[in-house]
Amino acid sequence: MSVTFDVIGIAVRDMRASLQFYRRLGLPVPDGMEGEMHVEMSLGGIRLAWDTVEMLQDVYNGWDEPSGHCVELAFRCDTREEVDEVYDRLMQDGYRGHKEPWDALWRQRYAIVKDPDGNLMSLYA
């Protein structure tokens, strides 16, 4: 018997808004899936999945809205300048920032944005 880590799942209130956000971050999210209750894609051996709250309520026989920081995904940018550019583009698109770009103590350029469900997404170079 072998257990293998395979999927990161994200609960979403609005599938269309979530998929649009992740496309703006550069993920190759499949087109035409906005009306689905479950969407997934492969990312180099790991699958990333989005599930609507309605579906999760059915799967788990109820679902309690989480509070606080529940999941974070980190997106590597090629350059320090790209961190600023991606952050600025997302802000211009109307998304919410959590922390503007800064030079972190660990010598990376870093910024944090929120996806449509309030999950924190890090940008770094």
Side-chain angles (χ1 to χ4, degrees):
M1 181 173 151
S2 175
V3 176
T4 303
F5 179 68
D6 185 48
V7 179
I8 298 168
I10 301 173
V12 302
R13 290 179 199 88
D14 181 336
M15 186 67 77
R16 179 177 304 283
S18 290
L19 297 182
Q20 182 178 359
F21 173 82
Y22 288 95
R23 283 185 188 113
R24 291 297 290 156
L25 277 174
L27 292 182
V29 178
D31 289 325
M33 303 297 285
E34 291 74 12
E36 300 296 324
M37 296 183 81
H38 173 85
V39 175
E40 66 180 58
M41 60 177 287
S42 180
L43 293 170
I46 298 292
R47 291 182 293 151
L48 181 60
W50 298 266
D51 295 305
T52 63
V53 169
E54 295 81 13
M55 187 186 89
L56 294 173
Q57 288 170 333
D58 185 50
V59 168
Y60 298 123
N61 294 324
W63 186 76
D64 296 325
E65 182 78 23
S67 64
H69 181 58
C70 298
V71 65
E72 175 192 14
L73 301 179
F75 293 82
R76 186 180 67 229
C77 299
D78 288 334
T79 66
R80 301 168 66 77
E81 294 77 20
E82 189 176 17
V83 171
D84 294 15
E85 292 166 8
V86 171
Y87 182 89
D88 290 342
R89 183 182 74 227
L90 291 170
M91 296 307 98
Q92 290 170 8
D93 288 348
Y95 295 108
R96 296 174 292 156
H98 179 75
K99 191 167 182 181
E100 293 182 3
W102 83 97
D103 293 322
L105 296 174
W106 51 92
R107 297 189 176 167
Q108 289 179 328
R109 185 69 174 165
Y110 225 86
I112 304 172
V113 298
K114 292 183 179 183
D115 78 359
D117 292 286
N119 297 308
L120 301 180
M121 302 294 132
S122 293
L123 307 170
Y124 73 94

